[in-house]
Amino acid sequence: STYSLAFKTSQADDKSINNMPSLLFAESNSIQSLVSDAKKLYIASNFENNKDIGNDEDLICTVAPGRVNLIGEHTDYTGGFVFPMAIDFSIVCVGKGNISTTESIGKCQVISANSKDPQVITFESSKSMKPLPTTSPNSWTNYVAGVVDRYMQEIEDGNCSISLQLAINGNVPLGSGLSSSAALEVSIATFIERIFQKEFPKKNFGGATQKALRCQKAENVFCNSPCGIMDQYVSAAAQRDSALLIDCRNLEYQIVKMGGGKSSNRNNQNDGAKKGTNPVFVICNSNVTHSIGGGEYPVRVAQCSEATKLLQNLIGDEKIKSLRDAALNDIESAKKKRNSQGDVLMDDLIYRRAKHVVTENERTQKAKSALIDGDWVEFGKLMNASHQSMKIDYEVSCEEIDILVELAQSYPGVYGSRLTGGGFGGCTVTLVDKTDVEGLCHYLKTEYKSRTGKECSCFESQPGDGAREILLT
């Protein structure tokens, strides 16, 4: 076809490069299993026959990982610094799709192996898409539809649409704080970009940064979640064996190799730590679920906004564009200020919220140097301080998470432990010597069950790859 599509210009020139396609046999066993089950589900599902969407030989597979944030929590939506890495837990999409250049309405059919009763769900793609009500049993498809909508909005031609037939399968624990929603969004986005590039090979979507921005917007609008950019960004841009230090203001990131520097700085935190060994991260799921779109999360966003406005009024909006610009002495000074009636301008609650953000940004930047140098003791201290700040100042922890952190911090060979993710449940991340992983996991499971009556699950993780296509043949 000689028809060409016109796309809106990207907001920024993103020089980042998407990960190259990988061969299925080169993937981990868990990814291979997800792909195999998704392919079986696709074949078994009753998708409508659509000759325009391709044959079964044309199946495409994409994958995007969940993430664990090593440090830098609740700083992304204030333009601060975050320090996540991708994990092997992922979401895969297997199916077909096409871009119509003659129809303004497309048909998207999706089925998820993770649903209690997997069924094909259909929605239309157009320039005027709307999310399903949150009360709908199929509202999870808003994560898919929101991403489709973002790409539809970027097509300037009126008579164009996106059609999909997708089987989705994932092993990122839902509500665990490991970003299952971002993994789904980024896997969908990678799939859509793949079918666009099949039809229009010269189309440049702007790389990982622009993909992450589209997915963030999709979740903000279609899922009513005021999430920041971190989850989608690391899922799109991660690289194996590295964490990403992300500047959430200018959306630049640095690839940080774990222990890539001075091994002589690998000291002991306690008698159980082995000098010179390479530690790993252990993620422990408390099985206390949370929902990032409701409850206290939007309240924290509003409280940070209030703190920012107070500081801008006192210091000036030229210096304070967001809480990322504030120093600890700025908020200490603001806490002491009173208005003409003698009332404090920044009450204790807003002060503590701002204090967490300011100090967490400082800890995150220090953590980068510690990780590069292999200074595990320093990195662990920063993790511990981060958890204390989230528990006391930001108040996003819970009893079960605090128990897991307390247990981990007391175990020989552990350097540090903290809540990871949005909070109110979810997971902890612990830096521990590799030789102590098995013992730590057994200890956490046994003691957590004894103290809470709940089960927890633990797994070791190394930094993994970001979103990519998997070649099925």
Side-chain angles (χ1 to χ4, degrees):
S1 172
T2 58
Y3 192 97
S4 63
L5 289 179
F7 289 82
K8 295 177 182 177
T9 304
S10 297
Q11 296 178 2
D13 180 18
D14 178 13
K15 296 181 175 61
S16 60
I17 300 173
N18 288 329
N19 288 309
M20 296 296 291
S22 67
L23 296 172
L24 181 57
F25 71 80
E27 295 285 346
S28 67
N29 290 336
S30 64
I31 297 294
Q32 291 185 43
S33 178
L34 286 176
V35 172
S36 176
D37 290 344
K39 189 174 180 180
K40 291 176 184 176
L41 178 62
Y42 180 88
I43 294 171
S45 300
N46 296 317
F47 289 113
E48 293 181 10
N49 186 24
N50 185 346
K51 58 181 175 51
D52 294 329
I53 212 168
N55 302 314
D56 285 345
E57 293 77 20
D58 300 322
L59 286 181
I60 297 169
C61 177
T62 58
V63 59
R67 66 96 186 98
V68 61
N69 193 24
L70 304 180
I71 195 168
E73 220 67 72
H74 287 278
T75 53
D76 54 345
Y77 50 81
T78 54
F81 296 92
V82 293
F83 203 17
M85 72 179 198
I87 57 178
D88 196 42
F89 283 3
S90 302
I91 290 182
V92 301
C93 295
V94 172
K96 298 178 294 186
N98 82 312
I99 310 301
S100 171
T101 57
T102 59
E103 301 291 335
S104 60
I105 297 178
K107 179 175 286 188
C108 297
Q109 296 178 289
V110 296
I111 185 170
S112 172
N114 304 113
S115 299
K116 292 182 179 179
D117 181 22
Q119 295 183 11
V120 175
I121 300 168
T122 301
F123 63 87
E124 292 182 338
S125 71
S126 69
K127 291 285 192 178
S128 55
M129 297 173 63
K130 301 294 181 184
L132 289 174
T134 55
T135 54
S136 169
N138 299 326
S139 61
W140 69 267
T141 60
N142 285 337
Y143 292 99
V144 181
V147 177
V148 173
D149 174 69
R150 283 296 92 203
Y151 286 88
M152 285 296 303
Q153 298 304 323
E154 292 197 13
I155 303 173
E156 292 183 336
D157 307 71
N159 290 322
C160 293
S161 59
I162 299 170
S163 292
L164 302 172
Q165 291 182 345
L166 289 179
I168 300 166
N169 191 22
N171 59 3
V172 185
L174 301 179
S176 64
L178 299 178
S179 300
S180 57
S181 59
L184 174 58
E185 293 154 4
V186 174
S187 187
I188 294 292
T190 305
F191 192 98
I192 292 173
E193 290 186 7
R194 173 65 180 82
I195 61 174
F196 263 114
Q197 290 165 351
K198 184 178 179 181
E199 298 289 336
F200 309 98
K202 294 184 179 180
K203 168 59 188 165
N204 180 6
F205 281 97
T209 303
Q210 293 301 319
K211 181 187 294 185
L213 286 168
R214 294 183 189 101
C215 292
Q216 179 199 19
K217 185 72 171 179
E219 187 162 342
N220 291 161
V221 175
F222 265 62
C223 306
N224 195 30
S225 170
C227 64
I229 190 66
M230 174 182 68
D231 297 350
Q232 294 82 0
Y233 205 153
V234 67
S235 187
Q239 293 187 21
R240 183 164 296 277
D241 300 323
S242 301
L244 269 66
L245 179 68
I246 304 172
D247 184 330
C248 295
R249 169 174 289 168
N250 59 26
L251 300 184
E252 294 179 354
Y253 65 89
Q254 300 176 50
I255 302 295
V256 182
K257 290 283 186 180
M258 185 172 174
K262 298 171 282 187
S263 60
S264 60
N265 281 348
R266 296 173 183 169
N267 301 317
N268 299 333
Q269 177 176 347
N270 53 50
D271 292 339
K274 283 79 173 173
K275 184 175 181 180
T277 61
N278 272 327
V280 297
F281 291 102
V282 167
I283 299 166
C284 186
N285 186 357
S286 69
N287 287 313
V288 177
T289 59
H290 70 171
S291 172
I292 195 172
E296 291 294 316
Y297 186 90
V299 174
R300 296 301 181 280
V301 176
Q303 289 167 341
C304 287
S305 178
E306 181 178 345
T308 302
K309 291 176 182 176
L310 282 169
L311 290 169
Q312 287 174 335
N313 290 336
L314 291 171
I315 302 173
D317 54 14
E318 290 186 1
K319 179 182 177 183
I320 305 294
K321 294 180 173 59
S322 72
L323 276 183
R324 177 250 184 81
D325 301 310
L328 188 58
N329 64 325
D330 291 329
I331 58 173
E332 295 286 358
S333 176
K335 185 184 179 183
K336 299 175 183 177
K337 298 284 185 180
R338 294 180 178 272
N339 61 21
S340 57
Q341 286 77 40
D343 301 321
V344 293
L345 293 177
M346 178 180 283
D347 63 30
D348 183 67
L349 179 66
I350 300 302
Y351 162 77
R352 287 188 288 113
R353 302 298 189 252
K355 179 185 175 186
H356 166 76
V357 173
V358 169
T359 57
E360 187 77 347
N361 276 319
E362 293 176 355
R363 286 187 288 268
T364 303
Q365 293 181 83
K366 290 178 181 178
K368 171 200 166 185
S369 298
L371 194 70
I372 291 174
D373 290 344
D375 191 345
W376 311 129
V377 172
E378 176 64 15
F379 197 94
K381 289 178 179 178
L382 293 167
M383 292 177 73
N384 292 339
S386 172
H387 181 76
Q388 189 71 4
S389 179
M390 287 189 289
K391 175 183 176 181
I392 302 300
D393 289 332
Y394 221 65
E395 296 182 289
V396 291
S397 190
C398 64
E399 181 182 5
E400 293 86 351
I401 289 291
D402 291 338
I403 288 173
L404 283 173
V405 169
E406 174 193 331
L407 290 170
Q409 289 175 348
S410 69
Y411 193 82
V414 167
Y415 294 93
S417 185
R418 62 183 289 275
L419 164 68
T420 185
F424 317 110
C427 292
T428 63
V429 59
T430 300
L431 182 65
V432 59
D433 278 312
K434 187 173 179 62
T435 53
D436 292 305
V437 168
E438 185 177 351
L440 172 65
C441 292
H442 177 74
Y443 177 70
L444 290 176
K445 291 176 182 178
T446 302
E447 293 299 315
Y448 184 69
K449 179 67 179 293
S450 174
R451 292 179 60 174
T452 68
K454 296 182 173 70
E455 303 285 348
C456 69
S457 54
C458 305
F459 64 94
E460 174 187 337
S461 185
Q462 296 281 11
D465 285 320
R468 59 206 178 274
E469 179 186 4
I470 297 177
L471 303 179
L472 297 177
T473 56

